[in-house]
């Protein structure tokens, strides 16, 4: 019968006091065999200076602006020579032609004002996405701004200048091992 026992809340109250008493006992004991004053817990590990700088950024903005921004229809594959997505393993999905990249204006100052307004201290721009399109004029590939209607511009240079003007750390997304355009041409990525 439950009538002869204490109500459950009373026994729970007694149980809660036991850990408090145990904690007080542990604090009273010497922390080392010799009786010296050693902390019971080791201090947490401290981040490296590089990691601390990264953590101090607190918030980063990611700006994906590339040929796929202007893609239409079935194209628009950022990884145009596809080894992992539909329609199947190893399937060739044609890269969007450089003529597809046709912005009427690019205002990196506006981008950075927005980044600063959201409180980000770092902005990461997709300067060369998996398909291989480069947002700077490059003599190393025919798949860059130089081969597009936006020829004569350097979005990366403008982006970095805007970052510096607004006190934001620039960052580049550049997957060096992925270059769908080169694979499409039969070259190594």
């Amino acid at each position: 019968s439950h009538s002869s026992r204490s109500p459950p809340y009373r026994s729970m109250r007694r149980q809660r006091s036991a850990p408090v008493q145990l904690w007080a006992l542990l604090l009273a004991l010497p922390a080392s065999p010799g009786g010296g004053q050693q902390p019971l817990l080791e201090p947490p590990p401290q981040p490296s200076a590089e990691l601390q700088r990264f953590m101090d950024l607190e918030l980063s903005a990611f700006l994906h602006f590339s040929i796929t921004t202007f893609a239409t229809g079935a194209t628009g594959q950022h990884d145009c020579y596809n080894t992992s997505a539909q329609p199947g393993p190893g399937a060739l999905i044609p890269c969007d032609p450089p003529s597809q990249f046709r912005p009427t204006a690019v205002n990196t100052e506006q981008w950075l004002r927005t980044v600063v307004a959201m409180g980000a201290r770092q902005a990461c721009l997709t300067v060369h996405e998996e398909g291989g399109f480069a947002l700077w004029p490059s003599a190393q590939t025919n798949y860059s701004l130089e081969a597009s209607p936006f020829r004569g511009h350097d979005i990366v240079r403008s982006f970095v200048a805007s970052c510096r003007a607004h006190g934001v750390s620039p960052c580049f997304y550049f997957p060096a091992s992925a270059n769908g355009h080169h694979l499409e041409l039969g070259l190594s990525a």
Side-chain angles (χ1 to χ4, degrees):
S1 148
H2 290 290
S3 60
S4 63
R5 292 181 162 180
S6 301
Y9 67 88
R10 286 188 185 154
S11 62
M12 288 173 58
R13 233 184 302 163
R14 275 186 248 131
Q15 289 172 354
R16 270 189 259 148
S17 65
V20 172
Q21 292 169 355
L22 180 59
W23 182 248
L25 177 63
L26 288 174
L27 289 176
L29 294 174
S32 67
Q37 294 297 331
Q38 298 282 329
L40 288 176
L41 301 174
E42 293 291 324
Q46 297 301 306
S48 66
E50 184 177 337
L51 180 57
Q52 186 62 54
R53 281 191 302 275
F54 176 75
M55 292 180 347
D56 289 344
L57 291 171
E58 294 180 347
L59 179 65
S60 293
F62 190 86
L63 308 165
H64 192 284
F65 184 73
S66 187
I67 197 165
T68 56
T69 305
F70 304 95
T72 59
T75 62
Q77 297 293 327
H78 70 279
D79 50 354
C80 52
Y81 188 88
N82 192 334
T83 58
S84 62
Q86 299 299 324
L92 175 64
I93 300 170
C95 295
D96 295 312
S99 60
Q100 190 101 12
F101 189 79
R102 53 184 182 279
T104 54
V106 173
N107 188 341
T108 58
E109 284 294 313
Q110 177 196 23
W111 298 353
L112 268 294
R113 285 193 303 271
T114 303
V115 166
V116 169
M118 72 180 268
R121 295 181 182 159
Q122 182 181 59
C124 189
L125 176 64
T126 304
V127 298
H128 176 281
E129 37 82 272
E130 288 89 348
F133 190 77
L135 291 183
W136 70 93
S138 174
Q140 305 305 313
T141 181
N142 63 354
Y143 203 52
S144 74
L145 289 185
E146 199 61 24
S148 79
F150 210 61
R151 182 185 184 128
H153 294 86
D154 187 338
I155 295 172
V156 175
R157 182 182 302 263
S158 177
F159 170 75
V160 170
S162 296
C163 283
R164 289 181 177 154
H166 291 274
V168 172
S169 174
C171 169
F172 302 135
Y173 176 78
F174 185 118
S177 65
N179 191 327
H181 179 66
H182 281 185
L183 293 173
E184 185 176 58
L185 298 175
L187 305 170
S188 65

